[in-house]
Amino acid sequence: MHAAAQATARGLMTYGMDAFRRTIVVVLTASLVMPAGCQWRRGAEFHGPPEACYNQMATQIEYPAESPCTQSNADPSITSPPPVTLSADTKPEYWDVSLQEVIQLALANSEVLRDLGGAVVRAPDTTRTTVDASIADTDPQFGTEAALSAFDAQFSTSTFWEKNDRLLNNQFFGGGTRDLQQDDAVFQAAITKKSATGSQFTIRHNVDYDSNNAPGNQFPSVWDVNVEVEARQPILQGAGLEFNRIAGPNTTPGQYTGVLVARINTDVALTDFEIGVRDLASNVENAYWDLYYGYRDLDAKVKARDAALDTWRKIYALFESGRHGGEAEKEAEAREQYFRFQEDVQTALNGELLDATRTNNGSPGGTFRPTGGVLVAERKLRLLMGIAPSDGRLLRPIDEPAMAKVDFDWAQAAQDAVTRRAELRREKWQIRRRELEVIASKNYLLPRLDAVGRYRWRGLGDELITEQNNFTTDALGNRILAPNSSAYGVLDSGDFQEWQLGFEFSMPIGFRQAHSAVRNAELTLARERALLRDQQREVIHELSDAVGEMDRSYTLFQTSYNRLVAARQQLGAVQAAYEADKAPLDLLLDAQRRLSEAESNYYRGLATYAVDAKNVHYVKGTLLEYDGVCLSEGPWCGEAYKDAAAKDALRGKPRALNYASSRAPVVGWGPYPLVRDDGAACEPGQIPADGQGTPIQQPEITPPPVPPTPPSATSDYSSGAAKNGVTPASWVPTATSGGADPASQVEPARYVRKLPPLGDGGTR
């Protein structure tokens, strides 16, 4: 019966504790969830379980609260005019730019070292900027200043007042006092400084006040003060300049935060910045030659289109008069040739949003991969230059690719690659860091032996500060403190001094953690050295590929020139034979296509050779020097100088120490609105629809009709001017059945270089 009662009591206690825990959980949940989610807005109420309130409030899409500074720093390209498109019917202005000017503008406008892969929007955390090195250097945990701060002098102080009133179970304490009443106060202040050798120096001041009712006291209250100086010097573990500059003071195995390691972190960040600048310069040059090829390719397509149009007109005239050579199949074949070239012109003018030439798209510096469109290539170049996507002008390259053969000394190029390549230099910094960590880790294999010295001056008195400092002597010659004595006066007399000197020794038996740290550091160093060897091997392979590609592109563009000359001669011969009625029409049309392809391939080969020559400098680490780019720390912005002047004016003046905001900051502006076309709010999960509640469908696009007849006059596509009063709008099919031919508004490349001689008897 007794056991059953005990079990029942235990069960009730368990049930009571569980109920109490559940009550506490419910109260805490309500106190945390309800104010934050359900009753955040004044007058708002929510009826239902807390999880339903959370699902409704926490999953809403809201606008972030932008500060005025963020809003004022918006990019000016937001207000740029619409881009130039195929439907444009006005002749654009041209901005003739050189490669040097493009690179200069790109570097001047690039706080963010952007590329053409969209990483700035897709992965902003991985994007390099101009402040990354400064961020690494000012890191409050691993930066250089953070490492030096471990040696800063530290000031600490504390003051405590205490009132004690207690009963004691000791009739002999304090001369028989059983009710202890005491007023106690303790004040401490100290300055501690650590040196680069591992030493620690401390000067400390202690003040102790004691007032109690013990009848054995000489004075009812007394002040005990002392000033002490302490020095602690590690002799084995933790000693030495080298260790403390690598690992830092008071660290553990595996944690190395010294100033040397922090400096290497900054050097690595600077190398990453150099890599970002190099990639930006490479991408800008790639985009420049993409645009150059776009203009040249458009010129070739326009010439072929004009030749096809002239052929179609002649055959159509024979077709209308019913003469020989104007058969229906020949007229349709000539018309198809014209519209094929018209498609090529439109594609060469606009292009497609494909992956263009950029770094690491097959080769480190970028394999030449043009989109074949002037407008797309021009917008990509504008993106890299950091300017608006459109401003009423079209960028037009004025530099021509180098046509001379470039030869690199292989031994010198290989030496430059393994010495000046930024990725290899970054890995060498990592190796140096691991070597320092191995040195520091071996220090933990030593036992801890510290030499400690302390010297103290003491003072005692029933008053803290008075003018009296008297002693009396008893019968035995001992000094007795006189009434109304000053504690600081006794301290200042220097009659009471103490010192302490000794050693502290400690060591883990076995040094398991220290041995593990040493082994880990050695393995990490071996890994970094293996990575460097493999990186060097890969860089030499990349250099070999770059040199081979440069030689290939030079040979191919010479062959492309010979092909171009042959295609021109073939077209002239076939044209004469066709006019003499000795060659069929399909042979003439095929010769026109061959000439267009040969001319486009020739300029493609020129641009490829320029990119491949640049890639050799990219691989061997001399691209910035090749492009005339120098890296240096520039001047601060004007706001920084104003801020420095304002802080200098505050020297010696009081300033507020409260850096917190007086009010809670605003985080969001509320839910993101989803609005339908009819103006009604769209519920979550609902597709925006028209006023009838049905999803909006895209309108069908009807293709334009094919013109039945060719124009009766030719047009000048280099300037957009019409001949014989006939404008291109009378025959170019457009979706709106009007507007000028966009290709006729784009001028060809401004500077045309004469073709090089054949050489080698024309057999190259």
Side-chain angles (χ1 to χ4, degrees):
M1 189 67 181
H2 181 69
Q6 288 182 345
T8 303
R10 286 195 299 269
L12 291 175
M13 291 177 63
T14 303
Y15 174 78
M17 292 300 296
D18 292 341
F20 176 75
R21 294 191 186 98
R22 288 195 297 270
T23 303
I24 291 298
V25 171
V26 171
V27 171
L28 290 177
T29 304
S31 64
L32 293 176
V33 175
M34 296 299 290
C38 299
Q39 296 182 355
W40 182 262
R41 292 172 295 179
R42 180 174 298 178
E45 296 183 0
F46 183 85
H47 302 283
E51 60 271 12
C53 173
Y54 172 80
N55 292 334
Q56 176 178 341
M57 302 301 296
T59 58
Q60 289 182 345
I61 302 177
E62 300 186 359
Y63 283 107
E66 295 183 90
S67 65
C69 182
T70 303
Q71 295 174 352
S72 63
N73 287 334
D75 190 82
S77 62
I78 298 176
T79 59
S80 63
V84 180
T85 60
L86 281 175
S87 58
D89 55 358
T90 58
K91 181 180 178 180
E93 298 181 4
Y94 290 96
W95 180 6
D96 296 328
V97 291
S98 63
L99 178 59
Q100 182 180 5
E101 181 182 2
V102 167
I103 294 178
Q104 181 181 5
L105 288 175
L107 295 179
N109 298 330
S110 297
E111 292 183 69
V112 176
L113 305 180
R114 62 187 70 87
D115 61 2
L116 294 177
V120 177
V121 178
R122 186 183 66 256
D125 292 339
T126 62
T127 304
R128 297 185 178 97
T129 66
T130 56
V131 297
D132 287 349
S134 299
I135 291 175
D137 189 58
T138 57
D139 190 289
Q141 292 183 341
F142 307 106
T144 306
E145 294 298 325
L148 291 174
S149 66
F151 303 98
D152 291 345
Q154 300 292 327
F155 173 75
S156 62
T157 182
S158 63
T159 303
F160 293 98
W161 296 86
E162 185 176 359
K163 173 67 176 178
N164 296 321
D165 190 0
R166 68 185 67 174
L167 294 176
L168 302 176
N169 187 23
N170 188 348
Q171 63 178 348
F172 300 105
F173 175 79
T177 301
R178 298 185 180 181
D179 180 8
L180 176 64
Q181 296 181 3
Q182 182 185 28
D183 292 330
D184 186 69
V186 177
F187 169 79
Q188 293 181 344
I191 297 178
T192 303
K193 178 70 171 71
K194 296 179 181 179
S195 67
T197 60
S199 304
Q200 178 173 312
F201 303 95
T202 304
I203 179 171
R204 187 181 298 111
H205 179 38
N206 300 315
V207 179
D208 186 7
Y209 171 76
D210 186 11
S211 174
N212 58 67
N213 61 343
N217 294 336
Q218 181 179 0
F219 302 105
S221 63
V222 66
W223 294 86
D224 185 7
V225 299
N226 66 75
V227 175
E228 60 183 14
V229 178
E230 180 180 331
R232 178 182 295 268
Q233 173 61 52
I235 298 177
L236 297 178
Q237 184 184 128
L241 290 172
E242 187 177 47
F243 171 79
N244 285 276
R245 289 176 176 175
I246 297 174
N250 300 329
T251 57
T252 58
Q255 297 180 357
Y256 311 102
T257 58
V259 63
L260 294 181
V261 174
R263 177 58 189 173
I264 290 178
N265 293 337
T266 302
D267 290 326
V268 171
L270 288 173
T271 307
D272 289 335
F273 172 71
E274 180 184 350
I275 292 174
V277 175
R278 180 205 62 190
D279 289 347
L280 176 61
S282 177
N283 284 325
V284 169
E285 190 165 350
N286 290 336
Y288 186 86
W289 296 125
D290 283 356
L291 182 58
Y292 167 85
Y293 171 73
Y295 274 102
R296 292 301 193 183
D297 183 60
L298 178 62
D299 293 345
K301 297 298 191 299
V302 168
K303 293 177 183 178
R305 193 265 311 270
D306 291 349
L309 178 60
D310 185 65
T311 302
W312 180 25
R313 289 194 182 108
K314 294 178 180 179
I315 296 178
Y316 187 79
L318 298 177
F319 172 74
E320 282 189 330
S321 60
R323 297 169 57 187
H324 175 69
E327 292 78 3
E329 67 276 9
K330 293 184 179 180
E331 188 275 336
E333 186 177 4
R335 177 158 35 98
E336 186 275 335
Q337 174 96 327
Y338 160 73
F339 282 109
R340 172 190 296 184
F341 284 132
Q342 176 67 7
E343 284 182 343
D344 293 341
V345 168
Q346 293 172 345
T347 301
L349 173 60
N350 190 81
E352 299 181 43
L353 293 177
L354 302 175
D355 188 17
T357 309
R358 63 185 182 93
T359 57
N360 299 315
N361 69 335
S363 63
T367 303
F368 185 68
R369 191 185 302 167
T371 57
V374 172
L375 301 183
V376 169
E378 196 260 355
R379 287 195 291 267
K380 289 182 177 179
L381 181 57
R382 282 178 171 271
L383 173 63
L384 294 174
M385 292 173 62
I387 59 179
S390 61
D391 57 2
R393 299 178 297 175
L394 281 181
L395 297 175
R396 185 167 58 179
I398 61 175
D399 287 347
E400 291 284 336
M403 302 178 66
K405 183 175 178 56
V406 179
D407 288 323
F408 290 92
D409 181 77
W410 173 255
Q412 183 62 40
Q415 183 64 29
D416 289 342
V418 298
T419 304
R420 306 186 61 177
R421 185 72 178 267
E423 289 85 353
L424 299 184
R425 188 165 67 255
R426 178 178 57 188
E427 187 61 29
K428 291 177 181 178
W429 279 120
Q430 295 289 359
I431 290 177
R432 185 53 185 159
R433 174 181 177 176
R434 302 308 180 188
E435 291 174 346
L436 295 178
E437 291 177 354
V438 170
I439 296 174
S441 63
K442 293 181 179 180
N443 184 269
Y444 292 104
L445 295 175
L446 301 174
R448 185 79 183 189
L449 177 62
D450 294 350
V452 182
R454 184 182 298 114
Y455 203 90
R456 182 184 298 118
W457 290 265
R458 280 191 172 277
L460 184 69
D462 60 341
E463 298 292 340
L464 183 62
I465 301 176
T466 62
E467 296 181 357
Q468 298 183 8
N469 184 21
N470 299 324
F471 296 93
T472 60
T473 306
D474 58 7
L476 299 178
N478 298 321
R479 290 180 297 180
I480 300 175
L481 191 64
N484 299 325
S485 296
S486 171
Y488 276 113
V490 176
L491 176 69
D492 184 62
S493 67
D495 294 336
F496 302 92
Q497 300 182 17
E498 303 172 346
W499 61 269
Q500 183 184 34
L501 184 63
F503 296 91
E504 289 185 0
F505 180 83
S506 65
M507 60 172 288
I509 299 177
F511 291 96
R512 182 178 299 181
Q513 186 182 25
H515 282 293
S516 178
V518 172
R519 186 58 177 163
N520 180 266
E522 291 175 346
L523 291 174
T524 306
L525 176 59
R527 176 183 181 274
E528 298 295 344
R529 287 174 174 171
L531 287 176
L532 177 61
R533 288 194 300 271
D534 201 76
Q535 286 180 352
Q536 290 173 340
R537 182 184 302 110
E538 185 171 346
V539 165
I540 296 301
H541 278 277
E542 291 176 355
L543 180 62
S544 176
D545 291 339
V547 172
E549 283 296 302
M550 183 186 64
D551 184 75
R552 179 196 66 86
S553 59
Y554 179 78
T555 304
L556 285 184
F557 103 76
Q558 288 182 319
T559 305
S560 298
Y561 169 72
N562 290 334
R563 175 189 175 187
L564 176 59
V565 173
R568 287 176 176 174
Q569 295 174 351
Q570 180 194 20
L571 179 60
V574 173
Q575 182 77 31
Y578 174 76
E579 292 176 355
D581 201 14
K582 295 182 180 180
L585 175 63
D586 55 354
L587 188 59
L588 175 62
L589 300 180
D590 182 69
Q592 292 176 351
R593 291 193 297 268
R594 289 175 180 271
L595 178 59
S596 175
E597 293 175 359
E599 188 171 358
S600 179
N601 285 337
Y602 169 71
Y603 288 113
R604 182 188 182 99
L606 277 180
T608 302
Y609 179 61
V611 172
D612 289 342
K614 180 266 303 179
N615 287 345
V616 176
H617 287 281
Y618 181 99
V619 172
K620 72 189 191 76
T622 57
L623 178 61
L624 295 181
E625 181 180 353
Y626 172 71
D627 287 334
V629 178
C630 241
L631 296 180
S632 63
E633 185 175 356
W636 294 87
C637 59
E639 290 77 5
Y641 293 102
K642 294 179 181 178
D643 185 64
K647 290 185 179 299
D648 184 72
L650 294 176
R651 288 181 179 270
K653 297 181 180 180
R655 63 184 66 184
L657 297 179
N658 182 19
Y659 295 99
S661 176
S662 59
R663 295 186 300 173
V666 179
V667 177
W669 293 125
Y672 188 91
L674 298 176
V675 183
R676 302 187 305 187
D677 287 354
D678 58 356
C682 184
E683 297 296 332
Q686 181 182 0
I687 301 177
D690 58 12
Q692 305 300 325
T694 58
I696 299 176
Q697 302 293 335
Q698 294 292 336
E700 295 184 0
I701 300 177
T702 304
V706 178
T709 59
S712 57
T714 60
S715 300
D716 182 7
Y717 294 94
S718 62
S719 62
K723 291 184 178 181
N724 300 332
V726 180
T727 62
S730 63
W731 56 269
V732 174
T734 60
T736 57
S737 299
D741 178 20
S744 65
Q745 309 299 333
V746 179
E747 295 181 2
R750 184 173 180 181
Y751 302 102
V752 180
R753 176 179 291 174
K754 294 183 179 180
L755 297 178
L758 288 176
D760 300 335
T763 60
R764 189 165 50 196

